[in-house]
Amino acid sequence: MSKKSCIVNRSVHRRSSLVLSLIMLLTLLPAAPAAAADTGIDYGDLTVDLPVLVVSGSELISGGVYTAANISNEKSYTLTELQAMYDITDTCLYSSLNSSGTKRIYIGEGVYVSELLALSGHTVDNGSNLTFTASDGYTVSFNNDVPLNEGRKYFPNIGAVADEDADSENAPAILAWATGYIPAPGSNPAVTTAENPLRLLAGQTAIDNVNNGLFNQRENTIQAGDA
């Protein structure tokens, strides 16, 4: 059985997720007191939990025609909703190489992309055309030539003098709401940063595969197929 780079620790995951979600939700709240002064509206204890991710695209709508069976496949999620999906969230490790040759080991706490798309009736395979878009417009795409999960690995020995590609593990892509990294070679990175709100993390297809450009920050949209 192939090993996977993810760490199952649900109790710790739930506590850390709660703290991180509270931090990030504070950054999303509107400036209620100032608005109330202008409009005369008393906001009281109102809190707003805004969507942080939209999942859409033609591959979610069979034949391009909306029906009662597929109309709910296009979805939006708040951070609270994503963090409550305990069965498809995890803490995972990723080896990273950028175009300058910098090597790192990342850790991310988040939701499996393939499992999230499955909730929209989409099965991720090599034929999937997926586009991830950030709030600043930066996009990352996956297709036959650049698979999302197939063949992607975590190389724990990246940066080592010898046997860099030894002991590799499967590394399924996640959308992480919290991350951290250490220089390679190294081990045991810690989750230190709350993302704003999500960051894509994906494995390497080989030890020399430059994958850091896939680690797209401020993700807010997954598009399966055309818009």
Side-chain angles (χ1 to χ4, degrees):
M1 180 180 293
S2 298
K3 293 190 294 182
K4 191 167 64 173
S5 68
C6 300
I7 308 156
V8 180
N9 192 340
R10 301 301 184 196
S11 61
V12 172
H13 165 73
R14 294 189 189 195
R15 290 196 299 271
S16 60
S17 292
L18 178 59
V19 173
L20 287 164
S21 63
L22 289 173
I23 293 171
M24 285 183 277
L25 283 174
L26 287 174
T27 68
L28 295 174
L29 292 176
D38 293 334
T39 63
I41 299 173
D42 183 7
Y43 282 84
D45 295 327
L46 175 66
T47 59
V48 180
D49 199 1
L50 300 174
V52 297
L53 181 69
V54 173
V55 180
S56 65
S58 60
E59 291 185 8
L60 307 183
I61 309 301
S62 179
V65 178
Y66 287 98
T67 65
N70 67 28
I71 194 169
S72 63
N73 284 352
E74 295 187 310
K75 301 178 183 292
S76 64
Y77 297 98
T78 66
L79 185 62
T80 301
E81 289 172 330
L82 292 174
Q83 292 177 334
M85 297 178 179
Y86 302 118
D87 290 339
I88 62 171
T89 61
D90 220 329
T91 301
C92 302
L93 296 168
Y94 299 87
S95 49
S96 166
L97 175 66
N98 69 15
S99 57
S100 300
T102 302
K103 300 176 181 181
R104 293 172 174 171
I105 294 178
Y106 277 80
I107 188 169
E109 182 180 342
V111 60
Y112 291 118
V113 174
S114 59
E115 299 295 334
L116 191 64
L117 286 168
L119 297 178
S120 291
H122 183 77
T123 300
V124 172
D125 55 30
N126 284 352
S128 297
N129 292 298
L130 303 172
T131 302
F132 295 74
T133 304
S135 58
D136 61 2
Y138 184 81
T139 61
V140 169
S141 297
F142 296 89
N143 49 43
N144 282 328
D145 298 323
V146 186
L148 177 70
N149 287 334
E150 186 69 25
R152 292 196 178 274
K153 302 287 186 179
Y154 160 58
F155 295 95
N157 299 319
I158 189 171
V161 175
D163 299 323
E164 270 194 295
D165 59 353
D167 302 319
S168 65
E169 303 173 14
N170 292 333
I174 65 170
L175 283 174
W177 48 75
T179 62
Y181 71 85
I182 56 174
S187 60
N188 300 320
V191 173
T192 58
T193 303
E195 294 294 336
N196 185 27
L198 298 169
R199 182 173 191 165
L200 176 65
L201 295 175
Q204 294 180 277
T205 55
I207 190 62
D208 59 354
N209 173 237
V210 176
N211 67 327
N212 188 260
L214 302 176
F215 290 11
N216 200 3
Q217 295 178 288
R218 302 181 183 89
E219 290 285 358
N220 61 14
T221 304
I222 305 175
Q223 180 180 305
D226 298 325

